[in-house]
Amino acid sequence: MGFGLNRSGCCSGTLVILMLILSTWLCGIQASLSLGPGGEFPGLYDFIFYAFSNEELTSILHNISLLLWLGPCQERRWGTFVFLALSCISTLLLPPIYALFLFVTGDEASRVSGYSATHLALFTAQCRQVKQRRVLRCVPVWLWPWLVLLLDLFLLPSVPGLLHFYAICLGLNYNNDFIEILEQMGTWGSCACLPKWAYVPATSRHSQLPLYHNTSQRSELEDYSTWEQSASELHQDTLLEADTRLLEEQMLRAGILASLHDSSEGIPEKVELPKSSVSSLRLQQLEKMGFPTEKAVVALAATGQLDGAISLLIDDQIGEEAVVISKAKKSPPLSF
């Protein structure tokens, strides 16, 4: 379903939780919390093992099925450390949140046990982070936790529905920044005592470059990036220099043609002069004065200044040898 990432390693966190659930069931350990007005103050034993204890066969089958389905996906998405950290945080925070609601509303005490609420909190956080909008082409991703909530109401009638509702609300608060902090804590060596194959590493999802443990590899990557940037700048400078040379050559042709207008020698060949080679603002000023566009372009190309161009135009020193075009293109070599 695309809910996980392909990180290598053993899903040891899922295995640990699965072993705890099976051990409490096989050993007959019964631990639960009585929350709300009139409830008993929970002991440390109950507060630790209530999430792994199941009073019904339907409950343990439901929790194991969800753990085997969602646990590996979540652990490969976040890493073993983040997966276990979110599981512990959800397990510890849900009872106080639910008890506070019962005291505020004055409802009767309620017994809580099982791992289903923690499942729902982690599944909500997982759905919140996936990029795709729909699953199975028809169901929006945000709707899946609520569908699981409805399923829990039918399969687990002894578990309070409001506890699962607050589990969804808690999962919605596990944003990317919070998970990123947990991932960094896991990267700093929280599982350093274990071999790398025994857990899924908590590498950052948001990094665009891979993590390099070898300094020479990082240096090679930086050298390649610097070389690629220098090559791009050199290519742009070459194109700019070529355009500048072409413009200077065309302006030189126009100036020579203007100076040869009064010459009695042979008439030189016609030259194509791009209109974009001169300032459009100065050209508009000359056109407003009544000078022809073609001669104004040649005068500006020959002098480069407005006053000089006006002097050439008033003295009628611009001939008909230059042809003004709208686009620039390379001219043939200049010959005399």
Side-chain angles (χ1 to χ4, degrees), residues 21-52:
I21 294 176
L22 290 177
S23 298
T24 54
W25 175 262
L26 295 177
C27 296
I29 299 176
Q30 298 294 330
S32 61
L33 298 178
S34 181
L35 305 176
E40 300 177 357
F41 186 80
L44 181 61
Y45 173 83
D46 292 330
F47 198 76
I48 294 177
F49 287 97
Y50 86 93
F52 308 108

Side-chain angles (χ1 to χ4, degrees), residues 166-234:
Y166 290 124
I168 294 179
C169 296
L170 181 63
L172 291 175
N173 286 277
Y174 293 151
N175 54 25
N176 293 332
D177 295 334
F178 177 69
I179 294 180
E180 182 71 16
I181 294 175
L182 295 178
E183 285 182 345
Q184 292 177 0
M185 294 174 60
T187 307
W188 291 340
S190 301
C191 301
C193 58
L194 299 176
K196 293 183 179 180
W197 57 266
Y199 65 96
V200 181
T203 54
S204 178
R205 297 187 315 278
H206 306 291
S207 58
Q208 300 297 329
L209 295 176
L211 296 178
Y212 292 94
H213 300 283
N214 193 345
T215 306
S216 61
Q217 292 180 350
R218 291 196 299 266
S219 300
E220 291 176 0
L221 178 61
E222 293 174 357
D223 293 342
Y224 176 77
S225 301
T226 304
W227 174 83
E228 186 178 8
Q229 183 178 3
S230 300
S232 177
E233 294 177 355
L234 180 60

